[in-house]
Amino acid sequence: MLDKERIRLMTRMAEYENTLAPDDLKISTYYKKDYSSLNTLITAIWITIGYVMAAGLFVLCNVDALLKDLTVAKLIIMAAVVVGAYIILLVVYCVCAASFYKSKHNKAKQRVKKYYRDLSRLGKMCMKEKK
């Protein structure tokens, strides 16, 4: 005889295995701090690359206006603004990324725990049926 509860459990587990399980299992192998730190570092690297590309493009598009009446003081002020904007952007993105990846790790860990709990329940159901 078919057990409806067991079929529902197996269906839910199969759906999880086909959608979120591969990523969740990879994420849950890391400690939360390691996962968050690694992905925050990757985010910082990509932000740096993007900022350099955007700043370079801005300089190339406005080279005439930037070089017109250029003095040492003006050059120092422009460099300070560019570096200051970069630091602010980097700090904001890193804080947001760290928070995001910690949350992502927590959610993945909870889903994996629920999956293992369901797997244990399924095993108990099968053992009960054999008896």
Side-chain angles (χ1 to χ4, degrees), residues 16-129:
Y16 174 73
E17 287 172 358
N18 291 329
T19 55
L20 298 173
D23 292 333
D24 285 352
L25 292 173
K26 286 178 192 173
I27 290 171
S28 66
T29 59
Y30 291 98
Y31 291 111
K32 185 189 330 184
K33 183 172 175 137
D34 291 343
Y35 180 74
S36 174
S37 299
L38 174 66
N39 285 297
T40 302
L41 179 64
I42 291 170
T43 300
I45 290 169
W46 281 111
I47 289 297
T48 301
I49 291 169
Y51 189 81
V52 167
M53 290 176 66
L57 185 62
F58 179 79
V59 167
L60 284 177
C61 290
N62 299 312
V63 71
D64 290 337
L66 292 174
L67 292 179
K68 186 178 180 185
D69 299 327
L70 184 65
T71 62
V72 175
K74 191 176 178 182
L75 182 65
I76 291 172
I77 291 172
M78 283 192 309
V81 167
V82 169
V83 170
Y86 168 70
I87 290 172
I88 291 170
L89 182 73
L90 188 65
V91 167
V92 167
Y93 266 89
C94 286
V95 168
C96 292
S99 173
F100 172 76
Y101 286 115
K102 284 178 185 177
S103 170
K104 187 174 180 179
H105 185 273
N106 284 337
K107 290 176 185 174
K109 201 75 160 174
Q110 288 173 355
R111 287 190 298 259
V112 168
K113 274 184 183 178
K114 186 174 186 291
Y115 174 71
Y116 285 138
R117 209 175 315 123
D118 288 346
L119 199 58
S120 175
R121 274 182 57 203
L122 182 63
K124 289 177 184 177
M125 286 179 180
C126 288
M127 292 301 287
K128 189 184 289 184
E129 186 178 288

